Amino acid sequence: GAVVSQHPSRVICKSGTSVKIECRSLDFQATTMFWYRQFPKQSLMLMATSNEGSKATYEQGVEKDKFLINHASLTLSTLTVTSAHPEDSSFYICSASRAVNYGYTFGSGTRLTVV
Amino acid sequence: AQTVTQSQPEMSVQEAETVTLSCTYDTSESDYYLFWYKQPPSRQMILVIRQEAYKQQNATENRFSVNFQKAAKSFSLKISDSQLGDAAMYFCAYLPRETSGSRLTFGEGTQLTVNP
């Protein structure tokens, strides 16, 4: 149990375009989901906390207008990278939890390349 | 604020041998959870083991076990009979014992190499 699905796994987009990444909890409901960014050989950096039915909470330094988060249902959160630029190229991962004492389950990640 | 420190950026072990990965953390809370996650080259984050702070008994999962020293705020991971598939980046993580919505705090990670 506690499966989190993330799509797409890889995406290449042109500079200036927008890209949407989906994160779904398949067998449980998640009122909260988290979005991370990870650079090679580094730890996960929390970008924002996605709350079902309300605005996301962004970490300091993360541009909320560039990284739009929508958590419209208890099983789906989306991250949209708007007007993408090469510096936005990175690995993005989402996570959710069925119950806090079991820790968090992670999606398989999305490798974004902006050309 | 809570912090998690992994002082070993890289470790290596011979296949079938035992290796211990270190993790220390800082918190003012008395009740919390600790986790070890594994991230292989596929980059999928996989939960290896978890420990509840109020439990004195060290958690074990097959070849994986922890040495949880609450007073010292230390949470090391021991991998016994290391296998090639254990090669990965390992992250120690802290989670406060609150209601849903609590955020994980990760360490910097330890890259484990398993030599045949």
Side-chain angles (χ1 to χ4, degrees), chain B residues 5-106:
Chain B
T5 302
Q6 293 178 248
S7 59
Q8 306 155 317
E10 298 178 346
M11 290 283 285
S12 63
V13 63
Q14 291 296 126
E15 196 174 4
E17 297 296 309
T18 296
V19 65
T20 299
L21 308 184
S22 300
C23 173
T24 58
Y25 59 95
D26 187 25
T27 182
S28 59
E29 304 292 328
S30 60
D31 204 6
Y32 45 86
Y33 304 97
L34 295 165
F35 304 90
W36 278 97
Y37 282 92
K38 167 186 177 181
Q39 188 179 40
S42 68
R43 303 190 79 171
Q44 171 73 61
M45 293 286 284
I46 302 166
L47 178 63
V48 175
I49 199 166
R50 70 185 182 96
Q51 175 79 42
E52 299 180 64
Y54 70 89
K55 291 185 176 180
Q56 293 185 339
Q57 186 174 7
N58 289 324
T60 63
E61 287 288 342
N62 301 314
R63 298 182 295 107
F64 299 87
S65 61
V66 298
N67 183 2
F68 174 49
Q69 301 291 326
K70 191 172 184 180
K73 295 181 181 175
S74 171
F75 183 61
S76 61
L77 174 69
K78 185 173 80 172
I79 306 174
S80 304
D81 185 25
S82 297
Q83 301 176 0
L84 295 177
D86 294 333
M89 179 75 91
Y90 286 81
F91 293 100
C92 178
Y94 167 97
L95 182 68
R97 191 183 181 92
E98 298 172 1
T99 56
S100 62
S102 300
R103 62 179 62 182
L104 279 168
T105 299
F106 287 97

Side-chain angles (χ1 to χ4, degrees), chain A residues 38 43 59 101 104 106 108, chain B residues 33 37 39 50 102-103 107:
Chain A
Q38 186 182 33
S43 190
E59 295 301 300
N101 57 317
Y104 284 89
F106 289 81
S108 54
Chain B
Y33 304 97
Y37 282 92
Q39 188 179 40
R50 70 185 182 96
S102 300
R103 62 179 62 182

Side-chain angles (χ1 to χ4, degrees), chain A residues 49-114:
Chain A
T49 303
S50 174
N51 304 296
E52 187 269 336
S54 65
K55 292 183 178 180
T57 303
Y58 290 83
E59 295 301 300
Q60 190 173 7
V62 176
E63 298 177 61
K64 59 181 66 177
D65 293 331
K66 165 167 278 295
F67 299 101
L68 299 179
I69 291 173
N70 184 283
H71 195 153
S73 78
L74 287 171
T75 60
L76 173 64
S77 175
T78 60
L79 168 67
T80 301
V81 183
T82 63
S83 186
H85 291 284
E87 56 265 31
D88 298 324
S89 298
S90 191
F91 191 69
Y92 295 88
I93 313 175
C94 69
S95 74
S97 177
R98 177 195 295 274
V100 66
N101 57 317
Y102 286 94
Y104 284 89
T105 303
F106 289 81
S108 54
T110 298
R111 184 182 302 277
L112 170 64
T113 303
V114 184

